[in-house]
Amino acid sequence: MAVYNVTEQMAKEALHDSVFRSIMACTCQLCQDDALAIALNRLPVRYVATQQGEAYVKANYMQPQLQSDVLRELTRAAQVVSANPRHEQATGGTSQSNG
Amino acid sequence: MAVYNVTEQMAKEALHDSVFRSIMACTCQLCQDDALAIALNRLPVRYVATQQGEAYVKANYMQPQLQSDVLRELTRAAQVVSANPRHEQATGGTSQSNG
């Protein structure tokens, strides 16, 4: 089944942006996944079937409001995760910061 | 990146249920994808990072309210798609009903 959430794609692309690398105390996979999940649960969902998807993603990507919503929620989520990283419980080690 | 929307997984599993096969005039991939996208855009989003995902999905699956929301929206979406199938525009043929 070929449906996907355009907001998810935009958030994943935005998370690769250097601005989040500098905000996040740690950029390990667990911290990135947690930040992404926290942000996506606070963002409007936009599912499309694949055929329409490509055109819809491009059109949406130009929409300033959705972009700023994604950046706002990712910033907030990055701070939440940096303050309470789960990886410490998982690995018992200190946070692997990419300083 | 390993995050996914628990509601999406529940809707995909529910769509395989025979009740939707009987509601949908056509069960081609395009009609199923369109019904899924329409329903998911009206359902609460619940993203999880993969590690928590399995336990969360099982716990959630028992939650009657979410299940009935998913079934309600899928039923509505199946009727919408059956009334306006896109595949006619795509293939120009009549709807391939699996009657």
Side-chain angles (χ1 to χ4, degrees), chain A residues 1-5 8 12 15-16 29-30 32-34 36-38 40-43 45-52 86, chain B residues 1-5 8 12 15-16 29-30 32-34 36-38 40-43 45-52 86:
Chain A
M1 237 165 257
V3 294
Y4 69 95
N5 178 11
E8 180 180 331
K12 281 181 177 170
L15 199 56
H16 285 130
Q29 192 60 57
L30 193 56
Q32 287 192 61
D33 287 353
D34 283 348
L36 195 55
I38 291 170
L40 285 169
N41 282 328
R42 292 172 55 95
L43 285 164
V45 71
R46 275 195 181 72
Y47 274 88
V48 291
T50 308
Q51 283 90 342
Q52 311 150 302
R86 264 194 319 139
Chain B
M1 237 165 259
V3 293
Y4 69 95
N5 179 11
E8 180 179 332
K12 280 181 177 171
L15 199 56
H16 285 130
Q29 192 60 57
L30 192 56
Q32 287 192 60
D33 287 352
D34 283 348
L36 196 54
I38 290 170
L40 286 169
N41 283 327
R42 292 171 55 94
L43 284 164
V45 70
R46 273 191 182 73
Y47 274 89
V48 291
T50 308
Q51 284 91 340
Q52 313 151 299
R86 263 193 321 136

CSV table of all heavy atoms in Angstrom, one decimal, chain A residues 1-5 8 12 15-16 29-30 32-34 36-38 40-43 45-52 86, chain B residues 1-5 8 12 15-16 29-30 32-34 36-38 40-43 45-52 86:
chain,number,residue,atom,x,y,z
A,1,MET,N,0.9,-1.2,0.0
A,1,MET,CA,0.0,0.0,0.0
A,1,MET,C,0.9,1.2,0.0
A,1,MET,O,1.8,1.4,0.8
A,1,MET,CB,-0.9,0.0,1.3
A,1,MET,CG,-2.3,0.1,0.9
A,1,MET,SD,-3.3,-0.3,2.3
A,1,MET,CE,-3.8,-2.0,1.9
A,2,ALA,N,0.6,2.2,-1.0
A,2,ALA,CA,1.5,3.3,-1.2
A,2,ALA,C,0.9,4.6,-0.8
A,2,ALA,O,0.5,5.4,-1.7
A,2,ALA,CB,1.9,3.3,-2.7
A,3,VAL,N,0.7,4.8,0.5
A,3,VAL,CA,0.3,6.1,1.0
A,3,VAL,C,1.4,6.6,1.9
A,3,VAL,O,2.1,5.8,2.5
A,3,VAL,CB,-1.0,6.1,1.8
A,3,VAL,CG1,-2.2,5.7,0.9
A,3,VAL,CG2,-0.9,5.2,3.0
A,4,TYR,N,1.6,7.9,2.0
A,4,TYR,CA,2.5,8.5,3.0
A,4,TYR,C,2.1,9.9,3.4
A,4,TYR,O,1.3,10.5,2.7
A,4,TYR,CB,4.0,8.4,2.4
A,4,TYR,CG,4.3,9.3,1.3
A,4,TYR,CD1,4.9,10.6,1.6
A,4,TYR,CD2,4.1,9.0,0.0
A,4,TYR,CE1,5.2,11.4,0.6
A,4,TYR,CE2,4.4,9.8,-1.0
A,4,TYR,CZ,4.9,11.1,-0.7
A,4,TYR,OH,5.3,11.9,-1.8
A,5,ASN,N,2.7,10.3,4.5
A,5,ASN,CA,2.3,11.5,5.1
A,5,ASN,C,3.3,12.6,4.7
A,5,ASN,O,4.5,12.5,5.0
A,5,ASN,CB,2.3,11.4,6.7
A,5,ASN,CG,2.0,12.7,7.4
A,5,ASN,OD1,1.6,13.6,6.8
A,5,ASN,ND2,2.2,12.7,8.7
A,8,GLU,N,5.5,14.1,7.3
A,8,GLU,CA,6.6,13.3,7.8
A,8,GLU,C,7.8,13.5,6.9
A,8,GLU,O,8.9,13.7,7.3
A,8,GLU,CB,6.1,11.8,7.8
A,8,GLU,CG,7.2,10.9,8.2
A,8,GLU,CD,6.8,9.4,8.2
A,8,GLU,OE1,5.6,9.1,8.4
A,8,GLU,OE2,7.7,8.5,8.1
A,12,LYS,N,11.4,15.0,8.1
A,12,LYS,CA,12.6,14.2,7.9
A,12,LYS,C,13.7,15.1,7.2
A,12,LYS,O,14.9,15.1,7.6
A,12,LYS,CB,12.4,12.9,7.2
A,12,LYS,CG,11.8,11.9,8.1
A,12,LYS,CD,11.5,10.6,7.3
A,12,LYS,CE,11.0,9.5,8.2
A,12,LYS,NZ,10.5,8.3,7.5
A,15,LEU,N,15.0,17.8,9.4
A,15,LEU,CA,15.8,17.4,10.5
A,15,LEU,C,17.3,17.2,10.1
A,15,LEU,O,18.2,17.2,10.9
A,15,LEU,CB,15.3,16.1,11.1
A,15,LEU,CG,15.7,15.7,12.5
A,15,LEU,CD1,15.4,16.8,13.5
A,15,LEU,CD2,15.1,14.4,12.9
A,16,HIS,N,17.5,17.1,8.8
A,16,HIS,CA,18.9,16.9,8.3
A,16,HIS,C,19.6,18.3,8.3
A,16,HIS,O,20.8,18.4,8.0
A,16,HIS,CB,18.9,16.3,7.0
A,16,HIS,CG,18.7,14.8,7.0
A,16,HIS,ND1,17.8,14.2,6.2
A,16,HIS,CD2,19.2,13.9,7.9
A,16,HIS,CE1,17.7,12.9,6.6
A,16,HIS,NE2,18.6,12.7,7.6
A,29,GLN,N,20.7,8.1,16.5
A,29,GLN,CA,19.5,7.8,15.8
A,29,GLN,C,18.3,7.8,16.7
A,29,GLN,O,17.2,8.3,16.4
A,29,GLN,CB,19.6,6.3,15.2
A,29,GLN,CG,18.5,6.0,14.2
A,29,GLN,CD,18.4,6.9,13.0
A,29,GLN,OE1,19.4,7.1,12.3
A,29,GLN,NE2,17.3,7.6,12.9
A,30,LEU,N,18.5,7.4,18.0
A,30,LEU,CA,17.4,7.3,18.9
A,30,LEU,C,16.9,8.7,19.2
A,30,LEU,O,15.7,9.0,19.2
A,30,LEU,CB,17.9,6.7,20.2
A,30,LEU,CG,16.8,6.2,21.3
A,30,LEU,CD1,15.8,5.3,20.6
A,30,LEU,CD2,17.5,5.5,22.4
A,32,GLN,N,17.2,11.4,17.3
A,32,GLN,CA,16.6,12.0,16.1
A,32,GLN,C,15.2,11.4,16.0
A,32,GLN,O,14.2,12.1,15.7
A,32,GLN,CB,17.4,11.7,14.9
A,32,GLN,CG,18.7,12.5,14.8
A,32,GLN,CD,19.3,12.3,13.4
A,32,GLN,OE1,18.7,12.7,12.4
A,32,GLN,NE2,20.5,11.8,13.3
A,33,ASP,N,15.0,10.1,16.2
A,33,ASP,CA,13.7,9.4,16.0
A,33,ASP,C,12.7,10.0,17.0
A,33,ASP,O,11.6,10.3,16.7
A,33,ASP,CB,13.8,7.9,16.2
A,33,ASP,CG,14.5,7.2,15.0
A,33,ASP,OD1,14.7,7.9,14.0
A,33,ASP,OD2,14.8,6.0,15.1
A,34,ASP,N,13.2,10.1,18.3
A,34,ASP,CA,12.3,10.7,19.3
A,34,ASP,C,11.9,12.1,19.0
A,34,ASP,O,10.7,12.4,19.1
A,34,ASP,CB,13.0,10.6,20.7
A,34,ASP,CG,13.1,9.2,21.3
A,34,ASP,OD1,12.4,8.3,20.7
A,34,ASP,OD2,13.8,9.0,22.2
A,36,LEU,N,11.7,13.5,16.1
A,36,LEU,CA,10.8,13.4,14.9
A,36,LEU,C,9.4,13.0,15.3
A,36,LEU,O,8.4,13.6,15.0
A,36,LEU,CB,11.4,12.4,13.9
A,36,LEU,CG,10.8,12.4,12.5
A,36,LEU,CD1,10.9,13.8,11.8
A,36,LEU,CD2,11.6,11.4,11.6
A,37,ALA,N,9.3,11.9,16.2
A,37,ALA,CA,8.0,11.4,16.6
A,37,ALA,C,7.3,12.5,17.4
A,37,ALA,O,6.1,12.8,17.2
A,37,ALA,CB,8.2,10.2,17.4
A,38,ILE,N,8.0,13.2,18.3
A,38,ILE,CA,7.4,14.2,19.2
A,38,ILE,C,6.8,15.4,18.3
A,38,ILE,O,5.7,15.8,18.4
A,38,ILE,CB,8.4,14.8,20.2
A,38,ILE,CG1,8.7,13.7,21.2
A,38,ILE,CG2,7.9,16.1,20.8
A,38,ILE,CD1,9.9,14.1,22.1
A,40,LEU,N,6.1,15.2,15.0
A,40,LEU,CA,5.0,14.8,14.1
A,40,LEU,C,3.7,14.6,14.8
A,40,LEU,O,2.6,14.8,14.2
A,40,LEU,CB,5.4,13.5,13.4
A,40,LEU,CG,6.4,13.7,12.3
A,40,LEU,CD1,7.0,12.3,11.8
A,40,LEU,CD2,5.9,14.5,11.1
A,41,ASN,N,3.7,14.3,16.1
A,41,ASN,CA,2.5,14.2,16.8
A,41,ASN,C,1.8,15.5,17.1
A,41,ASN,O,0.7,15.6,17.6
A,41,ASN,CB,2.7,13.4,18.1
A,41,ASN,CG,2.8,11.9,17.9
A,41,ASN,OD1,2.2,11.4,16.9
A,41,ASN,ND2,3.7,11.2,18.6
A,42,ARG,N,2.5,16.6,16.8
A,42,ARG,CA,1.9,17.9,17.0
A,42,ARG,C,1.7,18.7,15.7
A,42,ARG,O,1.4,19.9,15.7
A,42,ARG,CB,2.9,18.7,18.0
A,42,ARG,CG,2.9,18.2,19.4
A,42,ARG,CD,4.0,18.9,20.2
A,42,ARG,NE,3.8,20.3,20.2
A,42,ARG,CZ,3.2,21.0,21.1
A,42,ARG,NH1,2.6,20.3,22.1
A,42,ARG,NH2,3.1,22.3,21.1
A,43,LEU,N,1.9,18.0,14.6
A,43,LEU,CA,1.8,18.7,13.3
A,43,LEU,C,0.6,18.1,12.5
A,43,LEU,O,0.2,16.9,12.7
A,43,LEU,CB,3.1,18.4,12.5
A,43,LEU,CG,4.3,19.3,12.9
A,43,LEU,CD1,5.6,18.7,12.4
A,43,LEU,CD2,4.1,20.8,12.5
A,45,VAL,N,-1.5,16.3,9.8
A,45,VAL,CA,-1.2,15.1,9.0
A,45,VAL,C,-1.7,15.4,7.6
A,45,VAL,O,-2.7,16.1,7.4
A,45,VAL,CB,-1.8,13.9,9.6
A,45,VAL,CG1,-3.4,13.8,9.5
A,45,VAL,CG2,-1.2,12.6,9.1
A,46,ARG,N,-1.0,14.9,6.6
A,46,ARG,CA,-1.4,15.1,5.2
A,46,ARG,C,-1.0,13.9,4.4
A,46,ARG,O,0.1,13.8,3.8
A,46,ARG,CB,-0.7,16.3,4.6
A,46,ARG,CG,-1.4,17.6,4.9
A,46,ARG,CD,-0.9,18.8,4.0
A,46,ARG,NE,-1.6,20.0,4.3
A,46,ARG,CZ,-1.4,20.7,5.4
A,46,ARG,NH1,-0.5,20.2,6.3
A,46,ARG,NH2,-2.0,21.8,5.7
A,47,TYR,N,-1.9,12.9,4.4
A,47,TYR,CA,-1.6,11.7,3.7
A,47,TYR,C,-2.0,11.8,2.2
A,47,TYR,O,-3.0,12.5,1.9
A,47,TYR,CB,-2.3,10.5,4.3
A,47,TYR,CG,-1.6,9.8,5.4
A,47,TYR,CD1,-1.8,10.3,6.7
A,47,TYR,CD2,-0.7,8.8,5.1
A,47,TYR,CE1,-1.0,9.7,7.8
A,47,TYR,CE2,0.0,8.2,6.2
A,47,TYR,CZ,-0.2,8.6,7.5
A,47,TYR,OH,0.5,8.1,8.5
A,48,VAL,N,-1.1,11.3,1.3
A,48,VAL,CA,-1.5,11.2,-0.1
A,48,VAL,C,-1.2,9.9,-0.6
A,48,VAL,O,-0.3,9.1,-0.1
A,48,VAL,CB,-0.6,12.3,-0.9
A,48,VAL,CG1,-1.0,13.7,-0.6
A,48,VAL,CG2,0.9,12.1,-0.7
A,49,ALA,N,-1.9,9.5,-1.7
A,49,ALA,CA,-1.5,8.2,-2.4
A,49,ALA,C,-0.4,8.6,-3.3
A,49,ALA,O,-0.3,9.7,-3.8
A,49,ALA,CB,-2.7,7.8,-3.2
A,50,THR,N,0.6,7.6,-3.5
A,50,THR,CA,1.9,7.9,-4.1
A,50,THR,C,1.7,8.8,-5.4
A,50,THR,O,2.5,9.7,-5.6
A,50,THR,CB,2.6,6.6,-4.4
A,50,THR,OG1,2.7,5.9,-3.2
A,50,THR,CG2,4.1,7.0,-4.9
A,51,GLN,N,0.8,8.4,-6.3
A,51,GLN,CA,0.8,9.1,-7.6
A,51,GLN,C,0.7,10.6,-7.4
A,51,GLN,O,1.5,11.4,-7.9
A,51,GLN,CB,-0.4,8.7,-8.5
A,51,GLN,CG,-0.3,7.3,-9.1
A,51,GLN,CD,-0.8,6.2,-8.2
A,51,GLN,OE1,-1.0,6.4,-7.0
A,51,GLN,NE2,-1.1,5.1,-8.8
A,52,GLN,N,-0.2,11.1,-6.6
A,52,GLN,CA,-0.4,12.5,-6.4
A,52,GLN,C,0.8,13.0,-5.6
A,52,GLN,O,1.1,14.2,-5.6
A,52,GLN,CB,-1.6,12.9,-5.6
A,52,GLN,CG,-2.9,12.3,-5.9
A,52,GLN,CD,-3.7,12.1,-4.7
A,52,GLN,OE1,-3.3,11.5,-3.7
A,52,GLN,NE2,-4.9,12.8,-4.6
A,86,ARG,N,16.7,9.5,25.7
A,86,ARG,CA,16.3,8.2,26.2
A,86,ARG,C,17.6,7.3,26.1
A,86,ARG,O,17.6,6.2,26.7
A,86,ARG,CB,15.2,7.6,25.2
A,86,ARG,CG,13.9,7.7,25.8
A,86,ARG,CD,12.8,6.9,25.2
A,86,ARG,NE,12.9,6.9,23.7
A,86,ARG,CZ,12.7,5.7,23.0
A,86,ARG,NH1,12.5,4.6,23.6
A,86,ARG,NH2,12.8,5.7,21.7
B,1,MET,N,15.7,6.6,9.2
B,1,MET,CA,14.9,7.1,10.4
B,1,MET,C,13.7,6.1,10.6
B,1,MET,O,13.0,5.9,9.7
B,1,MET,CB,14.4,8.5,10.1
B,1,MET,CG,14.9,9.4,11.1
B,1,MET,SD,14.7,11.2,10.6
B,1,MET,CE,16.4,11.6,10.1
B,2,ALA,N,13.6,5.7,11.9
B,2,ALA,CA,12.6,4.6,12.2
B,2,ALA,C,11.5,5.1,13.0
B,2,ALA,O,11.4,4.8,14.2
B,2,ALA,CB,13.3,3.5,12.8
B,3,VAL,N,10.6,6.0,12.4
B,3,VAL,CA,9.4,6.4,13.2
B,3,VAL,C,8.2,5.9,12.3
B,3,VAL,O,8.4,5.8,11.1
B,3,VAL,CB,9.3,7.9,13.4
B,3,VAL,CG1,10.4,8.4,14.3
B,3,VAL,CG2,9.4,8.7,12.1
B,4,TYR,N,7.1,5.6,12.9
B,4,TYR,CA,5.9,5.4,12.1
B,4,TYR,C,4.7,5.7,12.9
B,4,TYR,O,4.7,5.9,14.1
B,4,TYR,CB,5.9,3.9,11.6
B,4,TYR,CG,5.7,2.9,12.6
B,4,TYR,CD1,4.4,2.4,12.8
B,4,TYR,CD2,6.8,2.4,13.3
B,4,TYR,CE1,4.2,1.4,13.8
B,4,TYR,CE2,6.6,1.4,14.3
B,4,TYR,CZ,5.3,0.9,14.5
B,4,TYR,OH,5.1,-0.1,15.4
B,5,ASN,N,3.6,5.9,12.1
B,5,ASN,CA,2.3,6.3,12.7
B,5,ASN,C,1.5,5.1,13.0
B,5,ASN,O,1.1,4.3,12.1
B,5,ASN,CB,1.6,7.2,11.6
B,5,ASN,CG,0.2,7.7,12.2
B,5,ASN,OD1,-0.1,7.5,13.3
B,5,ASN,ND2,-0.5,8.3,11.3
B,8,GLU,N,-1.7,4.6,11.2
B,8,GLU,CA,-1.5,4.2,9.8
B,8,GLU,C,-1.5,2.6,9.8
B,8,GLU,O,-2.2,2.0,8.9
B,8,GLU,CB,-0.3,4.7,9.2
B,8,GLU,CG,0.0,4.3,7.7
B,8,GLU,CD,1.2,4.9,7.1
B,8,GLU,OE1,1.7,6.0,7.5
B,8,GLU,OE2,1.8,4.2,6.2
B,12,LYS,N,-4.2,0.2,7.9
B,12,LYS,CA,-3.9,-0.7,6.9
B,12,LYS,C,-4.4,-2.1,7.2
B,12,LYS,O,-4.9,-2.9,6.4
B,12,LYS,CB,-2.3,-0.8,6.7
B,12,LYS,CG,-1.8,0.4,5.9
B,12,LYS,CD,-0.3,0.4,5.7
B,12,LYS,CE,0.2,1.5,4.8
B,12,LYS,NZ,1.6,1.6,4.8
B,15,LEU,N,-8.1,-2.4,6.8
B,15,LEU,CA,-8.6,-2.3,5.4
B,15,LEU,C,-8.5,-3.7,4.7
B,15,LEU,O,-9.2,-3.9,3.8
B,15,LEU,CB,-7.7,-1.3,4.6
B,15,LEU,CG,-8.2,-0.8,3.3
B,15,LEU,CD1,-9.6,-0.1,3.5
B,15,LEU,CD2,-7.3,0.1,2.6
B,16,HIS,N,-7.8,-4.6,5.3
B,16,HIS,CA,-7.7,-6.0,4.7
B,16,HIS,C,-8.9,-6.8,5.2
B,16,HIS,O,-9.2,-7.9,4.7
B,16,HIS,CB,-6.4,-6.7,5.2
B,16,HIS,CG,-5.3,-6.2,4.4
B,16,HIS,ND1,-4.1,-5.8,5.0
B,16,HIS,CD2,-5.1,-5.9,3.1
B,16,HIS,CE1,-3.2,-5.4,4.1
B,16,HIS,NE2,-3.8,-5.4,2.9
B,29,GLN,N,-5.6,-1.3,-6.2
B,29,GLN,CA,-4.7,-0.6,-5.3
B,29,GLN,C,-4.9,0.9,-5.2
B,29,GLN,O,-4.9,1.5,-4.1
B,29,GLN,CB,-3.2,-0.8,-5.9
B,29,GLN,CG,-2.1,-0.4,-4.9
B,29,GLN,CD,-2.2,-1.2,-3.7
B,29,GLN,OE1,-2.1,-2.5,-3.7
B,29,GLN,NE2,-2.4,-0.6,-2.5
B,30,LEU,N,-5.3,1.5,-6.3
B,30,LEU,CA,-5.6,2.9,-6.4
B,30,LEU,C,-6.7,3.3,-5.4
B,30,LEU,O,-6.6,4.2,-4.6
B,30,LEU,CB,-5.8,3.4,-7.8
B,30,LEU,CG,-5.8,4.9,-8.1
B,30,LEU,CD1,-4.5,5.5,-7.6
B,30,LEU,CD2,-6.1,5.2,-9.6
B,32,GLN,N,-7.9,1.5,-2.9
B,32,GLN,CA,-7.5,1.2,-1.5
B,32,GLN,C,-6.6,2.3,-1.0
B,32,GLN,O,-6.8,2.8,0.1
B,32,GLN,CB,-6.8,-0.1,-1.4
B,32,GLN,CG,-7.6,-1.3,-1.6
B,32,GLN,CD,-6.9,-2.6,-1.2
B,32,GLN,OE1,-6.5,-2.7,0.0
B,32,GLN,NE2,-6.7,-3.5,-2.1
B,33,ASP,N,-5.6,2.8,-1.8
B,33,ASP,CA,-4.7,3.8,-1.3
B,33,ASP,C,-5.5,5.1,-1.1
B,33,ASP,O,-5.3,5.8,-0.1
B,33,ASP,CB,-3.7,4.1,-2.4
B,33,ASP,CG,-2.6,3.0,-2.5
B,33,ASP,OD1,-2.7,2.1,-1.6
B,33,ASP,OD2,-1.8,3.0,-3.4
B,34,ASP,N,-6.4,5.4,-2.0
B,34,ASP,CA,-7.2,6.7,-1.9
B,34,ASP,C,-8.1,6.6,-0.6
B,34,ASP,O,-8.2,7.6,0.2
B,34,ASP,CB,-8.1,6.9,-3.1
B,34,ASP,CG,-7.3,7.4,-4.3
B,34,ASP,OD1,-6.1,7.9,-4.1
B,34,ASP,OD2,-7.8,7.4,-5.4
B,36,LEU,N,-7.5,4.8,2.1
B,36,LEU,CA,-6.6,4.9,3.2
B,36,LEU,C,-6.2,6.4,3.5
B,36,LEU,O,-6.2,6.8,4.6
B,36,LEU,CB,-5.4,4.0,2.9
B,36,LEU,CG,-4.5,3.6,4.1
B,36,LEU,CD1,-5.3,3.0,5.2
B,36,LEU,CD2,-3.4,2.7,3.6
B,37,ALA,N,-5.8,7.1,2.4
B,37,ALA,CA,-5.3,8.4,2.6
B,37,ALA,C,-6.5,9.3,3.1
B,37,ALA,O,-6.3,10.1,4.1
B,37,ALA,CB,-4.8,9.0,1.3
B,38,ILE,N,-7.6,9.2,2.6
B,38,ILE,CA,-8.8,10.0,3.0
B,38,ILE,C,-9.1,9.7,4.5
B,38,ILE,O,-9.2,10.6,5.3
B,38,ILE,CB,-10.0,9.6,2.2
B,38,ILE,CG1,-9.9,10.2,0.8
B,38,ILE,CG2,-11.3,10.2,2.8
B,38,ILE,CD1,-10.9,9.7,-0.2
B,40,LEU,N,-7.0,8.4,6.9
B,40,LEU,CA,-5.9,8.8,7.7
B,40,LEU,C,-5.8,10.3,7.9
B,40,LEU,O,-5.4,10.8,9.0
B,40,LEU,CB,-4.6,8.3,7.2
B,40,LEU,CG,-4.3,6.8,7.4
B,40,LEU,CD1,-3.1,6.3,6.6
B,40,LEU,CD2,-4.2,6.5,8.8
B,41,ASN,N,-6.3,11.1,7.0
B,41,ASN,CA,-6.3,12.6,7.1
B,41,ASN,C,-7.4,13.0,8.1
B,41,ASN,O,-7.4,14.2,8.4
B,41,ASN,CB,-6.4,13.2,5.8
B,41,ASN,CG,-5.1,13.2,5.0
B,41,ASN,OD1,-4.1,13.3,5.6
B,41,ASN,ND2,-5.2,13.1,3.7
B,42,ARG,N,-8.2,12.1,8.5
B,42,ARG,CA,-9.3,12.5,9.5
B,42,ARG,C,-9.1,11.8,10.8
B,42,ARG,O,-10.0,11.8,11.7
B,42,ARG,CB,-10.7,12.1,8.9
B,42,ARG,CG,-11.0,13.0,7.7
B,42,ARG,CD,-12.3,12.5,7.0
B,42,ARG,NE,-13.4,12.4,7.9
B,42,ARG,CZ,-14.3,13.3,8.1
B,42,ARG,NH1,-14.2,14.5,7.4
B,42,ARG,NH2,-15.3,13.2,8.9
B,43,LEU,N,-8.0,11.1,11.0
B,43,LEU,CA,-7.8,10.3,12.2
B,43,LEU,C,-6.6,10.9,13.0
B,43,LEU,O,-5.7,11.5,12.4
B,43,LEU,CB,-7.4,8.9,11.9
B,43,LEU,CG,-8.7,8.0,11.4
B,43,LEU,CD1,-8.2,6.7,10.7
B,43,LEU,CD2,-9.6,7.7,12.6
B,45,VAL,N,-3.1,11.4,14.7
B,45,VAL,CA,-1.8,10.8,14.4
B,45,VAL,C,-1.1,10.3,15.7
B,45,VAL,O,-1.4,10.9,16.7
B,45,VAL,CB,-1.0,11.9,13.6
B,45,VAL,CG1,-0.6,13.0,14.6
B,45,VAL,CG2,0.1,11.3,12.9
B,46,ARG,N,-0.4,9.2,15.6
B,46,ARG,CA,0.3,8.7,16.8
B,46,ARG,C,1.7,8.1,16.3
B,46,ARG,O,1.8,7.0,16.1
B,46,ARG,CB,-0.5,7.6,17.4
B,46,ARG,CG,-1.5,8.1,18.4
B,46,ARG,CD,-2.1,7.0,19.3
B,46,ARG,NE,-3.1,7.5,20.2
B,46,ARG,CZ,-4.3,7.9,19.8
B,46,ARG,NH1,-4.6,7.9,18.5
B,46,ARG,NH2,-5.1,8.4,20.7
B,47,TYR,N,2.6,9.0,16.2
B,47,TYR,CA,4.0,8.6,15.8
B,47,TYR,C,4.7,8.0,17.0
B,47,TYR,O,4.7,8.5,18.1
B,47,TYR,CB,4.7,9.7,15.2
B,47,TYR,CG,4.5,9.9,13.7
B,47,TYR,CD1,3.4,10.7,13.2
B,47,TYR,CD2,5.2,9.2,12.7
B,47,TYR,CE1,3.2,10.8,11.9
B,47,TYR,CE2,5.0,9.3,11.4
B,47,TYR,CZ,3.9,10.1,11.0
B,47,TYR,OH,3.6,10.3,9.6
B,48,VAL,N,5.5,6.9,16.7
B,48,VAL,CA,6.3,6.3,17.7
B,48,VAL,C,7.7,6.0,17.1
B,48,VAL,O,7.7,5.8,15.8
B,48,VAL,CB,5.8,5.0,18.4
B,48,VAL,CG1,4.6,5.3,19.2
B,48,VAL,CG2,5.5,4.0,17.3
B,49,ALA,N,8.7,6.0,17.9
B,49,ALA,CA,10.0,5.6,17.4
B,49,ALA,C,10.0,4.0,17.5
B,49,ALA,O,9.3,3.5,18.4
B,49,ALA,CB,11.2,6.1,18.2
B,50,THR,N,10.6,3.3,16.6
B,50,THR,CA,10.4,1.9,16.4
B,50,THR,C,10.5,1.1,17.7
B,50,THR,O,9.7,0.2,18.0
B,50,THR,CB,11.4,1.3,15.4
B,50,THR,OG1,11.3,2.1,14.2
B,50,THR,CG2,11.1,-0.1,15.0
B,51,GLN,N,11.5,1.4,18.6
B,51,GLN,CA,11.7,0.6,19.7
B,51,GLN,C,10.4,0.5,20.5
B,51,GLN,O,9.9,-0.6,20.9
B,51,GLN,CB,12.8,1.1,20.7
B,51,GLN,CG,14.2,0.8,20.2
B,51,GLN,CD,14.7,2.0,19.3
B,51,GLN,OE1,13.9,2.8,18.8
B,51,GLN,NE2,16.0,2.0,19.1
B,52,GLN,N,9.8,1.7,20.8
B,52,GLN,CA,8.6,1.6,21.6
B,52,GLN,C,7.4,1.0,20.8
B,52,GLN,O,6.4,0.6,21.3
B,52,GLN,CB,8.1,3.0,22.0
B,52,GLN,CG,9.1,3.9,22.6
B,52,GLN,CD,8.7,5.4,22.2
B,52,GLN,OE1,8.6,5.7,21.1
B,52,GLN,NE2,8.4,6.2,23.2
B,86,ARG,N,-10.9,7.1,-8.7
B,86,ARG,CA,-10.0,7.8,-9.6
B,86,ARG,C,-9.5,7.0,-10.7
B,86,ARG,O,-9.0,7.4,-11.8
B,86,ARG,CB,-8.7,8.3,-8.8
B,86,ARG,CG,-8.8,9.7,-8.3
B,86,ARG,CD,-7.6,10.3,-7.8
B,86,ARG,NE,-6.8,9.4,-7.0
B,86,ARG,CZ,-5.4,9.3,-7.2
B,86,ARG,NH1,-4.8,10.0,-8.1
B,86,ARG,NH2,-4.7,8.5,-6.4
